Amino acid sequence: MKQMLPFLLVLVMAFSAQAKMVTQAVEYQQDGTVLEGHLAYDDAFKGKRPGVMVVHEFWGLNDYAKKRAEQVAALGYVAFACDLYGKGVVTKDPKEAAGHAAHLRGTPLLRQRARAGLDVLAKHKLVDPPHLAALGYCLGGTTVLELGYSGAGLKGVASFHGGLSVPKPEDKAIKAKILVMHGADDPLIKSEEIAAFQEAMRKTGADWQMIYYGGAVHSFTNPDADKAGVKGVAYNAAADRRSWQHLKDFLKELFSSP
Amino acid sequence: MKQMLPFLLVLVMAFSAQAKMVTQAVEYQQDGTVLEGHLAYDDAFKGKRPGVMVVHEFWGLNDYAKKRAEQVAALGYVAFACDLYGKGVVTKDPKEAAGHAAHLRGTPLLRQRARAGLDVLAKHKLVDPPHLAALGYCLGGTTVLELGYSGAGLKGVASFHGGLSVPKPEDKAIKAKILVMHGADDPLIKSEEIAAFQEAMRKTGADWQMIYYGGAVHSFTNPDADKAGVKGVAYNAAADRRSWQHLKDFLKELFSSP
């Protein structure tokens, strides 16, 4: 019995360490534009830990993206939901959202805005800077691919129902591991886009995985997706649950490897 | 302290319950053909549990398939590596293997042989018959898809680098969940075959997922794959590790859902 005591003590400590989620609005700038992200970490964990950036859908940094950051933080990471659009620029109107996205998509500004967010995360006192990853939804999925292609020092990037961009000719060898989680019936991601992405991954020799969730369409992870009333955009509980598990596996691999 | 004691006792019991793998050759028949499978379960687990069938590659029931069954058993399931070819019919010669496979592939005999193995598993005293799944490698992957299409009462089927068959017109609604784990550079699985499979899954409304592992070719899970000296057949450690994790996630989902 006596020799069990130290073990028991550790156990009691573990059980008494309760989650204490700390969240914080963080204002920062990118080339003069004021942005505001949402930082989250669990104060019950001690010491430095990996940092994971979360990139929002084309709506902007809404509660959905913030909640995802908190879910990531609950896994034991420092999470930062960055802001691609500008402080307070967020909408529920698909046309307005498309306008904001169009301002960034396919331009150098997308990578710059994302990089500004990543810098905030990397400099946080609790983050162990070599251990960084990024995940994103919809436009945010495209964004994290671009970040991965850009050589931003990420261990890995994960896209949920994101548009599938390809590396630029001037991009160096891709070091970030890539996980694409795709709704197999997503009408917004064209088959030519998928083929081009996979071909580019083969050519560059990137470490990539792509998961097709049968029956899932665009925005399958967002419980509010159906509210937008956009065709081909809907929540899918099974694909949401499965992709979250696959993300957890991915992060675990990224940060346990030497 | 006193109130911790029952909890502590449970812990001590858990720590003293060590894995005790039981394996057993099981002879059975299918329409007069004598077959011999390899059963495995961990005797440290008590009571009935889900049963998982393992279906071998085109080599026949070799040590690789047996080892996989033991790995599945170590997860807490009763595992049965069935035999599609006949007792002792196993080879290292690709031509001979191809001949054995050709005898079954695309014929009703494939499903019959697989079904005979599943019956052995379902009747085992430790198996809880509504909780059945099947996984297979290469030809075995095709086989478990066929089993899933045939309405064999499986909760799910998982294929590792398997050929992608489609359901027959007379097949009923597919109740088994389907997970296909695919080497993204597998030259033995043609793109038309993949397209036909995905189209069939959409049409039937099956619950399906397909994972592409970048850089992986055929037999990516088998450490001995390269020994065969067959082009487009090779081991891939990352894809092996990842697909095993994805399998574990899948089995967990199958057997925890109501």
Side-chain angles (χ1 to χ4, degrees), chain B residues 102-122:
Chain B
H103 184 59
L104 295 176
R105 198 180 276 126
T107 77
L109 191 56
L110 185 68
R111 291 186 182 191
Q112 290 159 11
R113 285 276 164 89
R115 189 63 179 252
L118 192 62
D119 288 345
V120 172
L121 178 65

Side-chain angles (χ1 to χ4, degrees), chain A residues 23-40 61 66 80-89 113 116-121 123-124:
Chain A
T23 62
Q24 189 188 344
V26 179
E27 196 179 289
Y28 60 108
Q29 292 201 7
Q30 181 273 321
D31 200 17
T33 300
V34 178
L35 306 158
E36 188 178 78
H38 180 78
L39 186 87
L61 179 52
K66 291 177 185 176
F80 184 57
C82 72
D83 172 15
L84 295 180
Y85 289 167
K87 185 174 174 173
V89 181
R113 285 276 164 89
L118 193 62
D119 287 346
V120 172
L121 179 65
K123 285 174 189 158
H124 190 274

Side-chain angles (χ1 to χ4, degrees), chain B:
Chain B
M1 187 66 208
K2 256 184 191 165
Q3 70 208 50
M4 290 293 294
L5 274 178
F7 173 61
L8 187 64
L9 198 68
V10 168
L11 255 168
V12 172
M13 282 169 66
F15 276 77
S16 62
Q18 284 178 354
K20 195 182 145 195
M21 190 63 65
V22 176
T23 62
Q24 189 187 345
V26 178
E27 196 177 290
Y28 60 109
Q29 292 202 6
Q30 181 272 321
D31 200 19
T33 301
V34 178
L35 306 157
E36 188 178 77
H38 180 78
L39 186 88
Y41 59 90
D42 184 344
D43 212 27
F45 291 83
K46 294 297 167 200
K48 287 187 182 251
R49 66 204 79 171
V52 179
M53 187 159 82
V54 175
V55 188
H56 57 72
E57 296 178 291
F58 83 151
W59 308 113
L61 179 52
N62 56 14
D63 287 346
Y64 173 71
K66 291 178 185 175
K67 192 180 141 264
R68 286 293 181 187
E70 290 164 26
Q71 279 182 279
V72 169
L75 299 174
Y77 306 112
V78 176
F80 183 57
C82 72
D83 172 15
L84 295 179
Y85 289 167
K87 184 175 175 174
V89 181
V90 59
T91 181
K92 288 182 179 178
D93 178 56
K95 274 193 185 164
E96 200 184 324
H100 292 313
H103 184 59
L104 295 176
R105 198 180 276 126
T107 77
L109 191 56
L110 185 68
R111 291 186 182 191
Q112 290 159 11
R113 285 276 164 89
R115 189 63 179 252
L118 192 62
D119 288 345
V120 172
L121 178 65
K123 284 175 189 157
H124 190 274
K125 63 181 195 286
L126 286 178
V127 171
D128 191 16
H131 295 98
L132 291 171
L135 62 94
Y137 298 87
C138 167
L139 170 70
T142 317
T143 307
V144 300
L145 288 181
E146 289 290 332
L147 262 189
Y149 301 155
S150 74
L154 291 157
K155 293 275 183 200
V157 297
S159 163
F160 295 85
H161 44 80
L164 298 173
S165 67
V166 296
K168 299 190 190 315
E170 65 269 26
D171 287 336
K172 303 275 189 311
I174 302 166
K175 288 184 182 166
K177 292 176 182 175
I178 293 170
L179 173 64
V180 169
M181 290 167 284
H182 171 69
D185 295 336
D186 188 335
L188 305 189
I189 317 285
K190 302 294 174 207
S191 56
E192 305 81 52
E193 193 176 325
I194 295 172
F197 166 75
Q198 295 187 349
E199 197 45 38
M201 291 300 97
R202 285 183 185 107
K203 273 191 187 152
T204 57
D207 180 322
W208 68 283
Q209 301 172 76
M210 181 164 171
I211 309 183
Y212 291 61
Y213 300 101
V217 294
H218 202 69
S219 287
F220 61 81
T221 61
N222 190 335
D224 291 333
D226 306 66
K227 286 185 191 166
V230 179
K231 214 186 149 192
V233 175
Y235 181 61
N236 183 305
D240 178 23
R241 200 176 54 238
R242 291 166 182 172
S243 60
W244 187 253
Q245 180 59 48
H246 293 147
L247 173 78
K248 287 199 286 183
D249 296 337
F250 182 68
L251 293 176
K252 213 167 166 182
E253 180 192 320
L254 291 184
F255 299 128
S256 67
S257 54

Side-chain angles (χ1 to χ4, degrees), chain A residues 93-154:
Chain A
D93 178 58
K95 274 193 184 163
E96 201 186 323
H100 292 313
H103 184 60
L104 296 176
R105 197 179 277 126
T107 77
L109 192 55
L110 185 68
R111 291 186 182 191
Q112 290 159 11
R113 285 276 164 89
R115 189 61 178 255
L118 193 62
D119 287 346
V120 172
L121 179 65
K123 285 174 189 158
H124 190 274
K125 63 180 196 286
L126 285 178
V127 171
D128 191 15
H131 296 98
L132 291 171
L135 61 94
Y137 298 87
C138 167
L139 170 70
T142 317
T143 307
V144 302
L145 288 181
E146 289 290 332
L147 262 190
Y149 300 157
S150 74
L154 292 157

